[in-house]
Amino acid sequence: MTESSTHSAGVAILGSTGSIGCNSLRVIESLTTSRMRVVALAAGSNVERLADQIAAHLPEVVSVDTEAAAHDLRAMLFARDIDLPRIVTGEAGLVEVATHPDADCVISATVGAVGFLPTLKALEMGKRVALANKETLVMAGELMTQAARNSGAELLPVDSEHNALHQCLRGERREEVRRIILTASGGPFRTRNKAEMELASVSEAMQHPTWNMGAKITIDSATLMNKGLEVIEAHWLFGFGPDEIDILVHPESVVHSMIEMVDGSVIAQMGVTDMRHAIQYALTFPERHSCQLPPLDLTAVSGLHFETPDLDRFPCIALAYRALREGGTLPAAMNAANEEAVSAFINERIRLTEIPQIIETVMDQHSNQPVKDIQTILEADHQARLAACAAIAALAHKEAQTAQKI
Ligand code: MG
């Protein structure tokens, strides 16, 4: 990837029509000093946007969710007179994109557990993975990092906090770092009380103060489960234990994260809140290339504030620390329960404050197993989803009964 003038690096993107996927393509288009070529794209069902991306980047392989989406995509490309790439579908399609022989780097940016298997396959083949899908590390951090070590693959975080930590930790000796500190914006309910949070609507929860992102991660940011997932992600990426990872709420989102050295010195990474910085860093590492985005203007920042997160209003944080401490398949179960609960909230079946309740119920019921292989993880994920759906149905039923009485 470093021979920028003689060799163009092949890039495959999982989740190309999402927020990270679109920003990745903008970064690739904007890089003038490091040539990159898009060889494969995977999207869900947004075939219109995907068709635009195919027209602009001419990938060899493209994957969509279903046969119906593939049919729509073919028709659209034909109508627009765009050359057809090879079109594949489903999980096998995602894996084909992730393991494309000409892909030097795979940007893993699908949402949720669906990215797990293709990302693992890319790591097994020794490809650089620019990881935006934190759920894959939460589910199976041990398998992922083991696969990377075995093949020599580089795993580079695109998540802004972990990207910041990667930058802070460059050249530092592990034993000289006392702890890492993840910053959190605090989400839209940072200053709201518990009663207000109970009544929060989906549109209120979707109002993220500093970052513009997809629905799942935005709800995770409202419950602070996003930060909980990031604690587990940081553990696997950088090898710090639960007692060496802290969270600070920092509403301005200027400091993207920091490390504290054993001598008390704190090193922070700062920047504007635009994911293109982290994406470009992961694509061009260990080089740095000029970027078209305006740099951070500290004189325009009115102040930097830091506070400890309120575990009472945001119980998801404690649940994530518990999953990390207990290990095994519990993090995978927690992640699956969270995905189901978030989707139930988005569909207005449960309240925002019931998301942690459902996760806790599923974690309490989960029979924890050591992680032996992919199958153990997938089984835990499956069982936890069933348990979460049952817990969601029970809550929705209770709510309906209460409404009837009133
Ligand atoms: Mg983040």
Side-chain angles (χ1 to χ4, degrees), residues 27-306:
V27 169
I28 291 167
E29 287 158 16
S30 75
L31 276 172
T32 50
T33 48
S34 173
R35 287 192 305 135
M36 296 197 184
R37 186 168 63 93
V38 176
V39 296
L41 295 173
S45 55
N46 189 347
V47 294
E48 208 162 325
R49 187 172 288 170
L50 183 58
D52 291 338
Q53 296 178 343
I54 293 168
H57 293 276
L58 308 173
E60 288 154 29
V61 178
V62 163
S63 173
V64 287
D65 260 357
T66 58
E67 281 304 328
H71 177 268
D72 292 349
L73 179 64
R74 269 187 211 101
M76 193 168 290
L77 293 174
F78 186 74
R80 290 175 56 180
D81 206 15
I82 301 166
D83 282 346
L84 284 187
R86 179 174 147 69
I87 299 176
V88 288
T89 59
E91 188 169 66
L94 280 167
V95 170
E96 189 166 333
V97 167
T99 57
H100 190 288
D102 293 341
D104 302 290
C105 176
V106 176
I107 299 173
S108 173
T110 51
V111 178
V114 65
F116 166 55
L117 198 63
T119 307
L120 183 63
K121 294 284 178 203
L123 287 172
E124 283 173 355
M125 290 186 69
K127 296 182 186 300
R128 167 179 294 195
V129 169
L131 188 74
N133 178 325
K134 67 193 80 184
E135 288 89 347
T136 55
L137 270 187
V138 171
M139 283 177 76
E142 210 171 331
L143 293 180
M144 292 281 172
T145 47
Q146 188 66 49
R149 271 196 302 275
N150 289 348
S151 69
E154 291 171 298
L155 187 53
L156 285 158
V158 169
D159 205 352
S160 64
E161 295 78 1
H162 304 75
N163 190 267
L165 290 169
H166 193 275
Q167 299 191 43
C168 293
L169 289 164
R170 272 177 94 157
E172 300 295 349
R173 290 163 62 184
R174 170 64 184 86
E175 62 273 24
E176 290 177 356
V177 183
R178 185 189 286 153
R179 62 179 180 134
I180 57 181
I181 304 160
L182 293 161
T183 54
S185 74
F189 304 114
R190 182 176 63 87
T191 58
R192 305 285 192 86
N193 62 35
K194 255 181 153 173
E196 289 172 315
M197 288 176 66
E198 235 164 70
L199 298 173
S201 67
V202 175
S203 65
E204 280 176 288
M206 287 297 294
Q207 302 296 317
H208 195 274
T210 48
W211 291 97
N212 185 8
M213 308 173 289
K216 199 266 177 179
I217 186 171
T218 305
I219 302 302
D220 281 346
S221 301
T223 61
L224 292 199
M225 178 50 102
N226 182 51
K227 214 48 56 180
L229 298 175
E230 289 181 356
V231 167
I232 302 176
E233 184 185 10
H235 164 74
W236 289 114
L237 283 170
F238 307 116
F240 287 77
D243 298 324
E244 301 168 309
I245 307 172
D246 285 315
I247 299 170
L248 275 183
V249 173
H250 166 48
E252 292 86 7
S253 297
V254 170
V255 174
H256 294 155
S257 276
M258 39 198 153
I259 62 172
E260 184 184 278
M261 310 302 291
V262 287
D263 61 5
S265 181
V266 173
I267 302 173
Q269 190 269 339
M270 296 189 277
V272 295
T273 51
D274 193 307
M275 288 310 296
R276 282 174 286 174
H277 278 293
I279 294 165
Q280 178 168 321
Y281 178 88
L283 282 174
T284 61
F285 178 82
E287 298 174 9
R288 285 189 186 266
H289 291 256
S290 67
C291 175
Q292 291 172 354
L293 292 171
L296 176 65
D297 178 7
L298 276 172
T299 63
V301 178
S302 57
L304 297 179
H305 298 86
F306 299 93

